[in-house]
Amino acid sequence: MDTTLLLTLSSMAKRPCPSQNPTIQNPNLDFDMDDHMDHLLETILLRQTSDSDQTQLIDRAMGLGTLLLEAGKRSARKRASKHNSLAWALPPDLTIKVFSMLDTQSLCYAAATCSMFNKCAIDPSCYANLDLTTDVPKVNNAVVSTMIHRAGKSLQSLKLGVVQGPNVLAGSCQPLVYTIRNSVEVSNFSWNDKRSRQGKESSILTRSCLSPLVGDNGAPGTLLRRLHLYNIERMDNTSLCGALTACPSLLDLEIVGLHVELRQTLMSVSANCHLIERLFFESSKTGRDDSLKSPTCVEFVNNCPNLNSLALRGFKLHDYKVRILVKGFRKLKYVDFSTSYSITGTFLRNLGSSIGGNLLEFLILRDCMHLKEVEVARLLTTIITGDFKYLRTLDISNREGLASESDWYDRCYTSSVIPIKQMLDARPDICLLAEFPSEGSYIEIDQMFESELNSDISLPSQLSSHTSDGSMFMSFSESSYNSDHGSGNEDGRDAGFVVFEESSDEVDFIVV
């Protein structure tokens, strides 16, 4: 029975097809073939004596048809791949090189194009720089694991998490902290779609998203140079520190919006990432993380001597801890303590004329709640006298003005006290960002939304701006903090901390 059907179909397959003889044109060939196949199958079915034999024959015929269909698809793909290989101008090695320059999403699109591209896109070098950041939650742990395992030991850069959008650049003054729930609201996605239900994988990254770095005896993280993590709300200290243990070659670490402590993170970095050159860490809760201790600062400085860029934004930092860091790192060129609490500016004293701090090119102190006017004036005076010779960008802007000498609640900005014009005349190569409320427009902290103070003096609402080859951008606006106004200086005084005049050699002992 089956032999008869197979032999009949085989004999039909031996008939010449139109592609073998293009001169023959028969538009009714397809219809004749369908009719013939129907008649043939009916004839064979009539030869079967029982209904079960007929049913079995039909099932086998359908199975054979499925096999022929799949075989035809495979043959078509092979022919298309062969055609693409002949038509594609680049050899496989150059194709892999081109693919390695694509972003992760474009690489995935290319891999889905054809089997030839897919074979090239599987090469580990194509996944050396993984960028899996999105503006809404789309990537889950399974995607991260697949990509990391494809890269293997070739992995050099990994970026994960939710970012605000393409217009926000890391390292800018604009906060990068962003909650997943906010991103869902912006994108009009349903929060239920983010949950794992009915066998669907959740599109939320969890604390184990970095575990593949530790797999295979730590192979994927061995040569990792850059690790950027954005707003992964479920990440914790244990998971992050565990991943850092597998990254001994890390040079660039960026952490934004993670619920991890500064102290534990710095301890893990100093213990495992001795080659690190750049650290950018923005707190998820501005002004609430007071975990950093002096011994941790000393250990960090001693174990990571190559650090040249340090950003700790939104943390509760005292001046003496900041001074340990800034003076201890002898190669430091970029410093950003924006939106940090408790920094008054005393750490800047005698900083620009000695080893440790004298190489600074960027100094960012934007919106530091307790930054004092007198310390800013002292800083600009030292720049005028010749300190900070390599400084190119200085940001001392504050939305509520600077703190007065006697009480940080008393906000102030007096153009006659801060020698901005004199400094720009002496150092035209410096780009100065000094955005303050107009003189006389200050609001008392405890009456922030009630009234403005009167004043006989007012500055223009906007002054001229100069380019980075020389100059200053200065504007004045009125706004207010929407955060906890509790002063970190009170904690310092309660702990018995006293600000002393510091000499230039005061912290030299911390470097081995």
Side-chain angles (χ1 to χ4, degrees):
M1 173 184 65
D2 296 338
T3 304
T4 304
L5 176 61
L6 293 174
L7 289 176
T8 304
L9 294 176
S10 175
S11 63
M12 291 179 59
K14 295 179 181 179
R15 298 176 183 178
C17 64
S19 61
Q20 294 174 334
N21 189 0
T23 60
I24 300 176
Q25 301 295 333
N26 188 357
N28 298 320
L29 182 60
D30 292 338
F31 297 101
D32 293 342
M33 182 67 70
D34 292 341
D35 294 339
H36 184 73
M37 290 295 295
D38 292 342
H39 177 72
L40 178 62
L41 186 58
E42 289 293 336
T43 301
I44 298 175
L45 288 174
L46 291 175
R47 295 177 184 177
Q48 309 307 313
T49 58
S50 64
D51 183 70
S52 60
D53 290 340
Q54 292 181 354
T55 302
Q56 186 178 15
L57 179 62
I58 292 175
D59 291 340
R60 292 185 178 182
M62 293 177 64
L64 179 61
T66 301
L67 292 176
L68 290 173
L69 177 62
E70 295 299 324
K73 290 181 179 180
R74 287 193 294 271
S75 298
R77 286 195 295 267
K78 289 180 180 178
R79 291 187 63 192
S81 179
K82 183 178 180 181
H83 171 76
N84 292 339
S85 300
L86 296 175
W88 184 248
L90 300 179
D93 56 337
L94 289 182
T95 302
I96 293 174
K97 181 66 175 178
V98 171
F99 283 0
S100 67
M101 299 178 182
L102 297 177
D103 61 86
T104 306
Q105 187 173 17
S106 298
L107 177 63
C108 293
Y109 287 153
T113 303
C114 66
S115 58
M116 182 195 73
F117 276 12
N118 185 267
K119 291 179 181 178
C120 293
I122 292 177
D123 192 275
S125 62
C126 297
Y127 299 87
N129 300 294
L130 293 177
D131 186 354
L132 300 176
T133 56
T134 57
D135 55 350
V136 294
K138 296 179 181 178
V139 177
N140 57 27
N141 291 4
V143 173
V144 176
S145 179
T146 300
M147 294 297 179
I148 291 178
H149 283 106
R150 285 184 183 180
K153 292 184 178 180
S154 299
L155 184 62
Q156 296 185 9
S157 174
L158 176 62
K159 299 180 180 180
L160 290 178
V162 178
V163 294
Q164 292 191 38
N167 295 327
V168 180
L169 301 176
S172 65
C173 295
Q174 184 173 351
L176 301 176
V177 176
Y178 198 49
T179 64
I180 291 179
R181 192 168 294 275
N182 284 343
S183 68
V184 172
E185 292 171 358
V186 170
S187 61
N188 294 322
F189 280 0
S190 170
W191 184 256
N192 291 329
D193 293 339
K194 303 293 178 283
R195 297 174 181 171
S196 180
R197 56 191 181 117
Q198 298 179 354
K200 292 176 60 179
E201 287 289 339
S202 169
S203 56
I204 300 294
L205 293 172
T206 68
R207 63 176 62 90
S208 61
C209 64
L210 296 178
S211 58
L213 293 176
V214 190
D216 299 331
N217 296 323
T222 303
L223 299 179
L224 186 65
R225 299 290 192 271
R226 182 183 298 109
L227 178 61
H228 292 185
L229 305 173
Y230 303 99
N231 304 301
I232 304 176
E233 294 186 349
R234 300 183 183 180
M235 181 66 66
D236 56 19
N237 289 298
T238 303
S239 301
L240 176 61
C241 294
L244 293 178
T245 59
C247 305
S249 303
L250 198 64
L251 301 178
D252 182 357
L253 177 61
E254 187 163 318
I255 302 173
V256 176
L258 272 61
H259 299 299
V260 294
E261 283 188 354
L262 175 60
R263 176 172 173 267
Q264 293 194 28
T265 302
L266 292 188
M267 289 176 63
S268 182
V269 170
S270 62
N272 303 289
C273 310
H274 298 159
L275 302 179
I276 192 165
E277 297 178 356
R278 176 181 179 267
L279 174 63
F280 183 98
F281 197 170
E282 183 169 339
S283 175
S284 60
K285 297 180 179 179
T286 303
R288 299 182 184 179
D289 190 340
D290 191 21
S291 61
L292 186 62
K293 307 300 180 184
S294 298
T296 306
C297 297
V298 174
E299 182 182 4
F300 183 37
V301 167
N302 289 335
N303 292 341
C304 304
N306 297 320
L307 195 76
N308 57 56
S309 177
L310 176 64
L312 301 177
R313 295 168 50 161
F315 293 97
K316 200 171 185 179
L317 303 172
H318 295 291
D319 284 84
Y320 70 96
K321 299 174 186 177
V322 173
R323 187 172 178 86
I324 291 176
L325 295 173
V326 176
K327 281 189 66 66
F329 291 114
R330 302 299 175 87
K331 299 181 180 180
L332 202 58
K333 296 182 179 180
Y334 180 97
V335 168
D336 183 359
F337 297 120
S338 298
T339 67
S340 294
Y341 279 48
S342 300
I343 292 180
T344 63
T346 56
F347 79 94
L348 296 167
R349 299 178 184 179
N350 303 319
L351 187 64
S353 59
S354 61
I355 297 177
N358 62 323
L359 297 180
L360 284 180
E361 297 180 9
F362 297 85
L363 178 58
I364 314 298
L365 300 174
R366 174 178 286 264
D367 290 329
C368 289
M369 189 66 158
H370 305 97
L371 185 63
K372 292 184 177 181
E373 182 184 47
V374 64
E375 297 298 339
V376 171
R378 182 181 285 112
L379 170 64
L380 298 188
T381 301
T382 59
I383 294 176
I384 293 173
T385 58
D387 289 352
F388 296 98
K389 295 181 180 180
Y390 298 98
L391 192 63
R392 294 295 176 264
T393 299
L394 174 63
D395 190 348
I396 54 174
S397 305
N398 201 298
R399 290 173 293 175
E400 299 302 336
L402 301 170
S404 66
E405 175 65 16
S406 57
D407 188 355
W408 75 275
Y409 280 98
D410 184 13
R411 316 305 294 180
C412 58
Y413 165 72
T414 307
S415 57
S416 60
V417 174
I418 302 180
I420 290 180
K421 185 178 184 304
Q422 295 89 324
M423 192 216 72
L424 290 175
D425 291 339
R427 292 289 301 274
D429 58 318
I430 293 181
C431 175
L432 176 63
L433 300 176
E435 301 171 2
F436 301 105
S438 302
E439 293 187 51
S441 67
Y442 297 94
I443 305 174
E444 294 294 340
I445 295 296
D446 55 353
Q447 299 176 349
M448 188 68 69
F449 302 101
E450 294 183 3
S451 61
E452 294 184 354
L453 296 177
N454 295 324
S455 174
D456 295 331
I457 305 175
S458 62
L459 292 180
S461 60
Q462 185 176 7
L463 298 183
S464 61
S465 62
H466 302 252
T467 56
S468 59
D469 57 346
S471 61
M472 150 181 148
F473 169 83
M474 194 176 204
S475 67
F476 301 91
S477 63
E478 300 175 15
S479 60
S480 61
Y481 286 101
N482 293 320
S483 55
D484 179 18
H485 295 288
S487 170
N489 292 327
E490 286 109 353
D491 294 340
R493 287 193 291 269
D494 292 341
F497 169 67
V498 181
V499 178
F500 296 98
E501 292 288 346
E502 302 178 72
S503 66
S504 59
D505 301 325
E506 198 165 304
V507 201
D508 292 350
F509 73 92
I510 62 179
V511 178
V512 177

Short mmCIF file of all heavy atoms in Angstrom, two decimals, residues 156 223-228 247-254 273-280 306-309:
data_model
loop_
_atom_site.label_atom_id
_atom_site.label_comp_id
_atom_site.label_asym_id
_atom_site.label_seq_id
_atom_site.Cartn_x
_atom_site.Cartn_y
_atom_site.Cartn_z
N GLN A 156 33.61 42.86 26.58
CA GLN A 156 34.39 43.99 27.06
C GLN A 156 33.53 45.10 27.65
O GLN A 156 33.99 45.86 28.50
CB GLN A 156 35.24 44.57 25.91
CG GLN A 156 36.28 43.61 25.38
CD GLN A 156 37.17 44.26 24.34
OE1 GLN A 156 37.12 45.47 24.13
NE2 GLN A 156 37.96 43.45 23.66
N LEU A 223 37.48 39.70 31.19
CA LEU A 223 38.06 40.80 30.41
C LEU A 223 37.11 41.99 30.29
O LEU A 223 37.35 42.88 29.47
CB LEU A 223 38.43 40.29 29.01
CG LEU A 223 39.47 39.16 28.96
CD1 LEU A 223 39.74 38.74 27.53
CD2 LEU A 223 40.77 39.59 29.63
N LEU A 224 36.05 41.99 31.09
CA LEU A 224 35.09 43.10 31.02
C LEU A 224 35.75 44.41 31.44
O LEU A 224 36.33 44.50 32.53
CB LEU A 224 33.90 42.79 31.93
CG LEU A 224 32.73 43.80 31.87
CD1 LEU A 224 32.08 43.77 30.50
CD2 LEU A 224 31.70 43.49 32.95
N ARG A 225 35.65 45.41 30.59
CA ARG A 225 36.27 46.72 30.86
C ARG A 225 35.26 47.77 31.32
O ARG A 225 35.59 48.64 32.11
CB ARG A 225 36.96 47.24 29.58
CG ARG A 225 38.07 46.35 29.06
CD ARG A 225 39.28 46.38 29.96
NE ARG A 225 40.44 45.77 29.35
CZ ARG A 225 40.75 44.49 29.44
NH1 ARG A 225 39.97 43.68 30.13
NH2 ARG A 225 41.82 43.99 28.85
N ARG A 226 34.01 47.67 30.83
CA ARG A 226 33.02 48.71 31.11
C ARG A 226 31.72 48.06 31.57
O ARG A 226 31.20 47.17 30.91
CB ARG A 226 32.78 49.55 29.86
CG ARG A 226 31.79 50.70 30.05
CD ARG A 226 31.54 51.45 28.74
NE ARG A 226 32.75 52.07 28.23
CZ ARG A 226 33.39 51.64 27.15
NH1 ARG A 226 32.93 50.60 26.45
NH2 ARG A 226 34.49 52.24 26.75
N LEU A 227 31.19 48.54 32.70
CA LEU A 227 29.93 48.04 33.22
C LEU A 227 29.06 49.23 33.64
O LEU A 227 29.41 49.97 34.55
CB LEU A 227 30.17 47.12 34.42
CG LEU A 227 28.92 46.55 35.11
CD1 LEU A 227 28.11 45.70 34.14
CD2 LEU A 227 29.30 45.74 36.35
N HIS A 228 27.94 49.43 32.95
CA HIS A 228 27.01 50.52 33.24
C HIS A 228 25.65 49.93 33.60
O HIS A 228 25.06 49.16 32.82
CB HIS A 228 26.86 51.43 32.02
CG HIS A 228 28.09 52.22 31.70
ND1 HIS A 228 28.12 53.18 30.72
CD2 HIS A 228 29.33 52.21 32.25
CE1 HIS A 228 29.33 53.72 30.66
NE2 HIS A 228 30.08 53.13 31.57
N CYS A 247 35.02 40.59 37.87
CA CYS A 247 35.45 41.60 36.90
C CYS A 247 36.77 42.26 37.33
O CYS A 247 36.80 43.46 37.63
CB CYS A 247 34.37 42.67 36.72
SG CYS A 247 32.74 42.02 36.28
N PRO A 248 37.87 41.53 37.34
CA PRO A 248 39.14 42.10 37.80
C PRO A 248 39.74 43.12 36.84
O PRO A 248 40.61 43.90 37.23
CB PRO A 248 40.05 40.87 37.92
CG PRO A 248 39.49 39.90 36.93
CD PRO A 248 38.01 40.12 36.95
N SER A 249 39.27 43.13 35.59
CA SER A 249 39.84 44.04 34.59
C SER A 249 39.00 45.29 34.37
O SER A 249 39.24 46.06 33.44
CB SER A 249 40.00 43.31 33.25
OG SER A 249 40.80 42.16 33.38
N LEU A 250 38.02 45.52 35.23
CA LEU A 250 37.09 46.63 35.04
C LEU A 250 37.79 47.97 35.12
O LEU A 250 38.54 48.25 36.06
CB LEU A 250 36.00 46.55 36.11
CG LEU A 250 34.71 47.35 35.85
CD1 LEU A 250 34.00 46.80 34.62
CD2 LEU A 250 33.79 47.29 37.06
N LEU A 251 37.52 48.83 34.11
CA LEU A 251 38.10 50.18 34.06
C LEU A 251 37.05 51.26 34.26
O LEU A 251 37.38 52.35 34.73
CB LEU A 251 38.79 50.40 32.70
CG LEU A 251 39.93 49.45 32.31
CD1 LEU A 251 40.45 49.81 30.93
CD2 LEU A 251 41.04 49.50 33.33
N ASP A 252 35.81 50.98 33.88
CA ASP A 252 34.76 51.99 33.89
C ASP A 252 33.51 51.41 34.53
O ASP A 252 32.92 50.46 33.99
CB ASP A 252 34.49 52.44 32.45
CG ASP A 252 33.44 53.54 32.35
OD1 ASP A 252 32.87 53.91 33.40
OD2 ASP A 252 33.16 54.01 31.24
N LEU A 253 33.08 51.98 35.67
CA LEU A 253 31.89 51.51 36.36
C LEU A 253 30.92 52.66 36.53
O LEU A 253 31.27 53.71 37.10
CB LEU A 253 32.26 50.92 37.72
CG LEU A 253 31.08 50.45 38.61
CD1 LEU A 253 30.29 49.35 37.92
CD2 LEU A 253 31.59 49.99 39.97
N GLU A 254 29.70 52.49 36.04
CA GLU A 254 28.67 53.52 36.16
C GLU A 254 27.43 52.90 36.78
O GLU A 254 26.88 51.93 36.27
CB GLU A 254 28.36 54.12 34.79
CG GLU A 254 27.42 55.30 34.86
CD GLU A 254 27.44 56.14 33.58
OE1 GLU A 254 28.54 56.37 33.04
OE2 GLU A 254 26.35 56.57 33.15
N CYS A 273 38.54 45.44 41.84
CA CYS A 273 38.74 46.17 40.58
C CYS A 273 39.89 47.17 40.73
O CYS A 273 39.68 48.39 40.71
CB CYS A 273 37.45 46.88 40.17
SG CYS A 273 35.99 45.82 40.17
N HIS A 274 41.09 46.69 40.88
CA HIS A 274 42.24 47.54 41.16
C HIS A 274 42.66 48.41 39.97
O HIS A 274 43.41 49.36 40.14
CB HIS A 274 43.43 46.68 41.59
CG HIS A 274 43.16 45.91 42.85
ND1 HIS A 274 43.87 44.78 43.20
CD2 HIS A 274 42.23 46.09 43.83
CE1 HIS A 274 43.42 44.31 44.36
NE2 HIS A 274 42.41 45.08 44.75
N LEU A 275 42.18 48.08 38.78
CA LEU A 275 42.58 48.82 37.58
C LEU A 275 41.60 49.92 37.21
O LEU A 275 41.81 50.63 36.22
CB LEU A 275 42.71 47.87 36.38
CG LEU A 275 43.70 46.71 36.53
CD1 LEU A 275 43.68 45.83 35.28
CD2 LEU A 275 45.10 47.23 36.79
N ILE A 276 40.56 50.09 37.98
CA ILE A 276 39.49 51.02 37.60
C ILE A 276 40.01 52.44 37.42
O ILE A 276 40.85 52.92 38.17
CB ILE A 276 38.36 50.98 38.65
CG1 ILE A 276 37.11 51.69 38.13
CG2 ILE A 276 38.82 51.56 39.98
CD1 ILE A 276 35.86 51.40 38.92
N GLU A 277 39.48 53.10 36.37
CA GLU A 277 39.90 54.46 36.04
C GLU A 277 38.74 55.46 36.16
O GLU A 277 38.99 56.65 36.34
CB GLU A 277 40.46 54.51 34.62
CG GLU A 277 41.71 53.67 34.43
CD GLU A 277 42.21 53.69 33.01
OE1 GLU A 277 41.53 54.31 32.14
OE2 GLU A 277 43.27 53.10 32.74
N ARG A 278 37.53 54.97 36.04
CA ARG A 278 36.37 55.88 36.11
C ARG A 278 35.27 55.25 36.96
O ARG A 278 34.91 54.08 36.77
CB ARG A 278 35.82 56.16 34.71
CG ARG A 278 34.56 57.02 34.70
CD ARG A 278 34.05 57.25 33.28
NE ARG A 278 32.84 58.06 33.27
CZ ARG A 278 31.60 57.56 33.29
NH1 ARG A 278 31.41 56.25 33.33
NH2 ARG A 278 30.55 58.36 33.27
N LEU A 279 34.74 56.04 37.89
CA LEU A 279 33.61 55.61 38.71
C LEU A 279 32.57 56.72 38.71
O LEU A 279 32.83 57.84 39.12
CB LEU A 279 34.05 55.30 40.14
CG LEU A 279 32.90 54.97 41.12
CD1 LEU A 279 32.17 53.71 40.69
CD2 LEU A 279 33.43 54.82 42.55
N PHE A 280 31.36 56.37 38.25
CA PHE A 280 30.23 57.30 38.25
C PHE A 280 29.12 56.62 39.05
O PHE A 280 28.62 55.57 38.67
CB PHE A 280 29.77 57.59 36.82
CG PHE A 280 28.65 58.59 36.73
CD1 PHE A 280 28.92 59.92 36.44
CD2 PHE A 280 27.33 58.22 36.94
CE1 PHE A 280 27.88 60.85 36.36
CE2 PHE A 280 26.29 59.12 36.86
CZ PHE A 280 26.57 60.45 36.57
N ASN A 306 44.75 54.17 39.93
CA ASN A 306 44.64 54.66 38.54
C ASN A 306 43.38 55.49 38.29
O ASN A 306 43.16 55.94 37.17
CB ASN A 306 44.65 53.48 37.57
CG ASN A 306 45.95 52.71 37.61
OD1 ASN A 306 47.03 53.30 37.72
ND2 ASN A 306 45.88 51.39 37.53
N LEU A 307 42.57 55.68 39.31
CA LEU A 307 41.31 56.42 39.12
C LEU A 307 41.58 57.85 38.69
O LEU A 307 42.32 58.59 39.34
CB LEU A 307 40.50 56.42 40.41
CG LEU A 307 39.03 56.82 40.26
CD1 LEU A 307 38.23 55.68 39.65
CD2 LEU A 307 38.42 57.21 41.60
N ASN A 308 40.98 58.27 37.57
CA ASN A 308 41.14 59.65 37.10
C ASN A 308 39.82 60.39 36.95
O ASN A 308 39.80 61.57 36.63
CB ASN A 308 41.91 59.68 35.76
CG ASN A 308 41.23 58.84 34.69
OD1 ASN A 308 40.06 59.03 34.38
ND2 ASN A 308 41.96 57.90 34.12
N SER A 309 38.69 59.68 37.16
CA SER A 309 37.38 60.32 37.07
C SER A 309 36.49 59.77 38.17
O SER A 309 36.26 58.56 38.25
CB SER A 309 36.75 60.04 35.69
OG SER A 309 35.45 60.60 35.60
#
